Amino acid sequence: MAGCILLATLATEAPSSTGRCRHQLPGLRVESATSSEIVAFWLAPWETYRLVFNGLGWEVRSSDWLMAERIYYLTARSPSPLALPTSTGEQLPLDYGSVYFLQHGAAGWDAWLIG
């Protein structure tokens, strides 16, 4: 991606049921700001996701399943600080002033910093 910096390949989990291609980030999920909808397995390989802090939380945007009129937030299942799990077992902390893309690549899901 031009003008972007590859930060890490992320750790993801696939659902145990067959026929589903969406993945999740361990310990994280996506929640709707306007309803009780909570989605664990939300990463679809044909989508690119934009992650930005909007003053209230880490907003997740894509053109596919996330409805344009709703706001979705990336949240942690525990009260720990929000970071993205990497394939090396480390945590990639999110900077409030940065914008990130999550995109499926050759080695898995990649986190990119928008430059």
Side-chain angles (χ1 to χ4, degrees):
M1 296 175 89
C4 301
I5 300 168
L6 178 60
L7 298 175
T9 298
L10 302 176
T12 60
E13 297 173 341
S16 57
S17 62
T18 59
R20 293 190 56 193
C21 58
R22 295 185 190 273
H23 287 77
Q24 71 175 353
L25 297 170
L28 301 174
R29 60 188 180 191
V30 172
E31 296 185 42
S32 170
T34 58
S35 73
S36 60
E37 182 181 13
I38 297 174
V39 184
F41 294 96
W42 56 280
L43 291 165
W46 57 87
E47 274 300 310
T48 297
Y49 298 90
R50 182 175 180 264
L51 192 58
V52 62
F53 189 77
N54 68 5
L56 298 175
W58 285 99
E59 186 176 340
V60 179
R61 291 276 182 190
S62 88
S63 61
D64 180 34
W65 67 277
L66 297 175
M67 298 185 328
E69 67 272 9
R70 284 197 192 160
I71 295 175
Y72 289 83
Y73 289 107
L74 185 65
T75 61
R77 294 183 191 146
S78 66
S80 63
L82 196 58
L84 301 178
T86 71
S87 60
T88 62
E90 298 177 13
Q91 294 288 311
L92 176 64
L94 297 175
D95 175 54
Y96 292 118
S98 297
V99 178
Y100 303 89
F101 275 142
L102 306 183
Q103 185 177 48
H104 195 265
W109 281 93
D110 294 328
W112 295 84
L113 176 66
I114 307 305

